[in-house]
Amino acid sequence: MKHIRTIIFDLDGTLIDSSDGVVEAVNYSLAQMGEPIQPPEKIKSFIGFPLTVMYPHFSDKPLKELYAHFQIKAADTVVASTVVLPGVEPVLQQLKDLGYTLTIASTKIRKHISGVVDKFGWEKYFDAYSGGDEVKHVKPAPDIFALTLEKINASKEESIVVGDTINDIHAAQAMQVPVIAVHSPYGNKKEVEASSPNYIIDSIKQLVPLLTGNSND
């Protein structure tokens, strides 16, 4: 993959884990609307998907009101709860040292992405990032990838996506950009494999060898 210059990363499940904060915010929004709270494992199964996909599984209350309550609580919980997944920062440093342009495209709102980037000092790694509130259609639509590449004037022919769910894979395929799927707790393994990403890796630690052609896998 010597022609690849730009890497578009998903965030949750690929680089970070913010699930505890998401669970807290979702259950807060449900409680505010008089709905029963949900087990963490049920909520976590929807991480990486838009809230509009998740909420109908838990409530028939207006999505706009649920979303508003979610964002009130999420402002305090999501960034605060976020941890970096194992092995991520050394990989980001390696990629930057190798001259790749790194970006983030997430369904998270831009404010939360910015908070995560600031929290971990990731400004040194990422040239651009885009959130779900910056596009009309979130993943699995390709809009957020197109916007991210536009921000840095990059070509899709020299780009690749790294993500962990079928939404990342389908969005990349819709844009005709190759995609590397990373196994994570949030990306259903069978669904991910059935979606036919260009490559599948078990750990982010395998990314550099795959990109540079030094992988034995």
Side-chain angles (χ1 to χ4, degrees):
M1 286 184 266
K2 301 296 185 183
H3 65 291
I4 298 298
R5 296 290 179 268
T6 301
I7 304 172
I8 308 172
F9 283 99
D10 171 55
L11 199 51
D12 274 297
T14 303
L15 301 178
I16 65 164
D17 180 354
S18 65
S19 59
D20 288 346
V22 172
V23 167
E24 189 174 350
V26 169
N27 275 331
Y28 172 84
S29 67
L30 292 171
Q32 291 298 304
M33 298 294 288
E35 298 283 67
I37 64 173
Q38 296 294 323
E41 60 271 18
K42 281 192 176 182
I43 296 172
K44 289 181 181 183
S45 70
F46 289 99
I47 288 179
F49 291 79
L51 292 172
T52 53
V53 171
M54 178 201 67
Y55 273 122
H57 290 265
F58 302 146
S59 172
D60 59 2
K61 298 292 176 66
L63 288 172
K64 186 176 181 180
E65 293 180 39
L66 287 163
Y67 180 82
H69 287 303
F70 173 90
Q71 292 299 348
I72 289 170
K73 192 66 172 177
D76 295 326
T77 64
V78 170
V79 174
S81 73
T82 297
V83 296
V84 181
L85 290 172
V88 163
E89 290 192 330
V91 169
L92 294 178
Q93 187 63 61
Q94 282 182 279
L95 293 170
K96 201 67 179 175
D97 291 344
L98 287 167
Y100 290 98
T101 298
L102 309 184
T103 67
I104 295 170
S106 171
T107 54
K108 269 183 166 38
I109 63 173
R110 181 178 175 84
K111 180 179 179 181
H112 291 165
I113 301 172
S114 178
V116 170
V117 170
D118 290 346
K119 178 177 181 177
F120 300 117
W122 282 0
E123 299 90 347
K124 61 188 175 186
Y125 298 132
F126 293 101
D127 290 84
Y129 49 84
S130 304
D133 56 333
E134 295 182 75
V135 292
K136 185 174 182 180
H137 303 291
V138 297
K139 305 173 199 175
D143 303 31
I144 201 161
F145 293 157
L147 173 63
T148 304
L149 293 181
E150 181 182 329
K151 288 180 178 181
I152 56 173
N153 195 29
S155 164
K156 71 177 186 178
E157 286 76 22
E158 295 183 334
S159 303
I160 198 164
V161 169
V162 181
D164 69 311
T165 71
I166 57 173
N167 279 343
D168 302 309
I169 297 166
H170 290 162
Q173 291 169 339
M175 196 173 168
Q176 297 182 315
V177 175
V179 56
I180 300 170
V182 184
H183 283 147
S184 87
Y186 313 123
N188 182 292
K189 188 173 182 179
K190 288 184 178 179
E191 287 184 350
V192 164
E193 292 176 352
S195 297
S196 302
N198 298 83
Y199 308 92
I200 300 177
I201 56 179
D202 292 318
S203 166
I204 198 75
K205 297 175 184 178
Q206 297 173 287
L207 182 56
V208 173
L210 177 61
L211 289 170
T212 58
N214 295 320
S215 174
N216 294 320
D217 297 336

